[in-house]
Amino acid sequence: KNTIHIIGGGLAGSEAAWQAAETGLEVVLHEMRGTKTTDAHSTTDFAELVCSNSFRSDDHEQNAVGLLHEEMRRCGSLIMRAADAHKLPAGGALAVDREGFAAAVTAAISGHPNITVVREEIAGWPPEDWQHVIIATGPLTSPALADAILERTGEDSLAFFDAIAPIVHYDSIDHEIAWKQSRYDKAGPGGTGADYLNLPMDRDQYYAFVEALKSAPLHEFKDWEKVPYFDGCLPIEVMAERGPETLRHGPMKPVGLTNPRNPTVKPYAIVQLRQDNALGTLWNMVGFQTKMRYGVQTEIFRMIPGLEHAQFARLGGLHRNTFINSPRVLAPDLTLKADPRIRFAGQVTGVEGYVESAAVGLITGRLTAADALKRPMSMPPRTTALGALVDHITGGHIEAESYSGARSFQPMNVNFGLFPEVTITKPEGVKRWRGPEKTMAKRRAITSRALADLQGWA
Ligand code: FAD
C-alpha cells in the first residue's frame, strides 16, 4: 500500500526513485525503454542525456543553476553524485562523460534493494490501486499516456509544443526609453491600464530590424521535431517573410499607445513586453516566438531601442515538448488537483533542462515518500533554487491573457529572476559601486541566503 510507483526513468524519475527509496520505502520504477523508445533516446540506460553533455555552470555563488547543483548535492542527489563522479574538464561548467554518468545512475537504481525496475510502457491512467504515483515521462511522454493525461486534466491543460517568446530581466531594460501603458489604457482583469512596457521604433529602425530577421539563420529541426504553425502564434521571422509591413500589423502594431516623452510623434512600430512573474523581475516580449538560432537572437533583439543592453532570462524557441499547465492543474504541493495520488516531476511540469528536471524529481520523491509515511513535510523555502522552481511551476507565474490568446505558462530554466529580491548595502569605503560589482554582490546575497535557508529543509 505504501509502494511508490514512478513512471519514467529519465533525469527526474531516477532522482525521485532514489530519494524515495532512501527513506526505506518500496519503489517501483516503470520505464518503457527496453520495450519501446522515444525519438530522442538511443539507449536503455536511466537518465540518458539526449543532447548536450553539460549541466551548465557549476558556480554556486554567481549562477542560479550552479546554486541548484549545490542545493541538490546537499540533499543527497543521485544525479549530482553521478555527475560529479564522471565530470570532464569544461572550465566553470559541469560537463559529464554521458555514458559513464548514465551507467552510474543505472547501476545505483538497479542495485538499490528498495527499487524494482519494470520495463513497460504505462499506456493509460495509473491504476486505482497505486496510492502514490509520480509521472516523470518527460518532453516525449508516450502518446498513449499523454492522451490519458489530456482526458484527466482537460483540453487546454497539456501542450505538445512550446512557443516561447524571449524573456528579459527587467533591470536590463532601458527605462529612459520604455514607458508603461496598456493599449488604449485598457485595464484587463487585475490590470492597471499600464501593464505593458513599450519600446518605440522609427521607420528606419523598423525596416533594419525586419531585414535582420529575414536574413537570420534558423535552428534546424529533425523531422519529428517539426512544429506546426498556428495562426496567432507564428514565428516573427515567418511574419517578416510575409511582407515588410506584416509585423507592424501584428505584434508590433503602434496603435493605442502614446510615448509620453514624445507625444506628438507616432512611433512606426512598437515592441511590447509583459510581466512574466509575480516578482516583476522578468518580462516577456509579446508575440516574439522565434526559431532563430540563439546567438543571433541576442544580436537582433538588442537592435530594439531600450534593449541595447538586454539580458535574456531565456531566448525564444519553438520545440516539441509535452508539458502540463502546472499553475492551473497542480496544487502547491505538486499533487494533481484532479487526482491527489499523483504528482508530476521533470520537464513535463514546465521546467526546462536536465538539472531542473532532476531537481523537481528530488522534491517530488521526498514529498511523495513523506505522504506515504504519513509525515508532514514542508515545501523547499521560496528563497532557495529548489523553492524558486516550485514557485515557477505552481503559480508564481502570472496567467495573463496574452496577445494571441495562447497559454502563457511556458517552460523555463532556473534563473535569478525567479528569486525574491534581496536588499544589499554598499560596502563601507566604496565610493562608486559599479554595475557588474553590484550585480555580483546581489547574486552572492541571493545564493548565500539560499544555502542558509536550505539547511533545515535538506
Ligand atoms: P526524460 O529524461 O526524457 O525521461 C522521461 C522518461 O520517461 C524516458 O526515459 C522515457 O522513455 C520514459 N517514458 C515516456 N513515456 C512513458 C510511459 N508512458 N511509460 C513509461 N515510461 C515512459 N536539456 C538540457 O539541459 N540540455 C540539453 O541539451 C537538452 N537537449 C534536449 C534535446 C531534446 C531532443 C529534448 C526533447 C530535450 C532536451 N532537453 C535538454 C530538455 C530536458 O532537460 C531533457 O529532455 C531531460 O531529459 C528531461 O528530463 P525528464 O526526466 O523530465 O525526461
Side-chain angles (χ1 to χ4, degrees):
K1 188 160 173 274
N2 265 350
T3 304
I4 295 176
H5 292 268
I6 298 175
I7 311 174
L11 276 296
S14 303
E15 184 66 56
W18 179 260
Q19 294 286 332
E22 284 288 277
T23 67
L25 289 166
E26 293 293 322
V27 174
V28 182
L29 180 58
H30 308 260
E31 167 54 57
M32 71 177 184
R33 283 179 294 124
T35 62
K36 184 177 177 174
T37 192
T38 77
D39 287 316
H41 290 86
S42 55
T43 74
T44 56
D45 281 347
F46 295 125
E48 178 183 335
L49 304 178
V50 290
C51 186
S52 138
N53 66 333
S54 173
F55 281 26
R56 321 204 302 283
S57 171
D58 201 26
D59 178 349
H60 72 257
E61 268 197 356
Q62 289 295 325
N63 191 289
V65 79
L67 172 65
L68 188 57
H69 293 169
E70 185 56 25
E71 291 184 10
M72 292 172 70
R73 288 184 183 111
R74 294 185 185 191
C75 294
S77 160
L78 169 65
I79 293 295
M80 288 310 301
R81 192 180 82 190
D84 288 336
H86 294 276
K87 189 177 161 147
L88 298 173
L94 175 57
V96 306
D97 164 20
R98 68 176 74 237
E99 282 164 22
F101 163 76
V105 175
T106 306
I109 294 283
S110 312
H112 199 292
N114 299 340
I115 303 179
T116 307
V117 173
V118 184
R119 296 280 178 177
E120 63 175 356
E121 178 191 6
I122 302 300
W125 198 244
E128 288 303 323
D129 60 342
W130 293 5
Q131 285 306 303
H132 305 284
V133 183
I134 298 174
I135 298 180
T137 44
L140 306 172
T141 295
S142 75
L145 180 58
D147 284 348
I149 296 171
L150 196 64
E151 198 179 304
R152 194 52 80 108
T153 56
E155 224 0 68
D156 52 358
S157 292
L158 188 69
F160 294 96
F161 299 95
D162 48 25
I164 296 167
I167 292 175
V168 185
H169 287 280
Y170 182 79
D171 54 12
S172 71
I173 299 167
D174 185 342
H175 296 279
E176 300 285 309
I177 295 179
W179 78 93
K180 278 193 176 167
Q181 187 186 8
S182 306
R183 227 179 268 285
Y184 300 110
D185 302 310
K186 263 194 200 150
T192 61
D195 298 329
Y196 290 76
L197 276 175
N198 301 284
L199 305 169
M201 273 187 181
D202 64 24
R203 193 173 189 283
D204 289 348
Q205 288 167 332
Y206 173 77
Y207 271 86
F209 182 68
V210 169
E211 280 312 307
L213 289 177
K214 281 163 62 179
S215 54
L218 300 181
H219 172 77
E220 275 168 31
F221 286 85
K222 302 202 175 89
D223 268 357
W224 60 269
E225 260 190 320
K226 292 236 164 76
V227 177
Y229 296 147
F230 306 101
D231 263 355
C233 190
L234 288 174
I236 45 167
E237 62 279 3
V238 173
M239 284 191 253
E241 277 298 334
R242 290 189 172 177
E245 293 288 302
T246 307
L247 278 166
R248 267 190 85 225
H249 295 280
M252 295 176 73
K253 61 176 175 275
V255 302
L257 297 162
T258 308
N259 185 352
R261 295 189 191 92
N262 204 353
T264 52
V265 178
K266 230 176 163 24
Y268 196 73
I270 289 176
V271 174
Q272 286 202 302
L273 289 93
R274 185 181 46 227
Q275 189 173 337
D276 201 77
N277 65 342
L279 299 168
T281 50
L282 300 174
W283 287 66
N284 75 64
M285 298 173 64
V286 181
F288 269 58
Q289 50 279 349
T290 174
K291 284 168 60 170
M292 289 187 294
R293 292 232 184 104
Y294 278 3
V296 80
Q297 283 191 38
T298 311
E299 213 173 286
I300 292 180
F301 295 142
R302 285 187 182 151
M303 291 170 73
I304 299 169
L307 296 188
E308 291 86 349
H309 305 289
Q311 295 295 326
F312 293 90
R314 78 159 298 164
L315 287 161
L318 278 165
H319 305 100
R320 167 89 196 275
N321 190 8
T322 313
F323 64 100
I324 55 173
N325 190 344
S326 295
R328 189 173 323 150
V329 301
L330 298 186
D333 66 353
L334 298 174
T335 54
L336 185 69
K337 288 179 193 163
D339 186 348
R341 297 175 301 142
I342 314 261
R343 278 191 172 85
F344 281 81
Q347 182 112 353
V348 74
T349 61
V351 293
E352 170 82 27
Y354 300 144
V355 186
E356 289 84 344
S357 296
V360 181
L362 184 149
I363 299 165
T364 50
R366 288 176 159 218
L367 289 170
T368 305
D371 281 355
L373 292 165
K374 297 199 168 34
R375 284 192 203 145
M377 184 173 172
S378 59
M379 299 303 288
R382 179 72 194 74
T383 48
T384 62
L386 291 167
L389 276 180
V390 171
D391 197 58
H392 162 63
I393 297 169
T394 59
H397 192 95
I398 286 179
E399 280 274 304
E401 101 293 354
S402 77
Y403 134 85
S404 62
R407 40 182 292 127
S408 62
F409 177 67
Q410 291 291 347
M412 189 179 281
N413 288 123
V414 68
N415 65 77
F416 284 119
L418 299 176
F419 291 74
E421 276 294 329
V422 278
T423 12
I424 46 169
T425 39
K426 195 165 70 164
E428 256 177 61
V430 174
K431 268 205 190 120
R432 254 182 83 229
W433 209 13
R434 285 187 302 115
E437 283 155 19
K438 202 171 165 190
T439 305
M440 283 171 72
K442 201 166 156 187
R443 290 179 179 168
R444 238 188 326 272
I446 291 178
T447 54
S448 57
R449 175 183 68 181
L451 292 177
D453 290 356
L454 180 77
Q455 244 177 350
W457 192 83

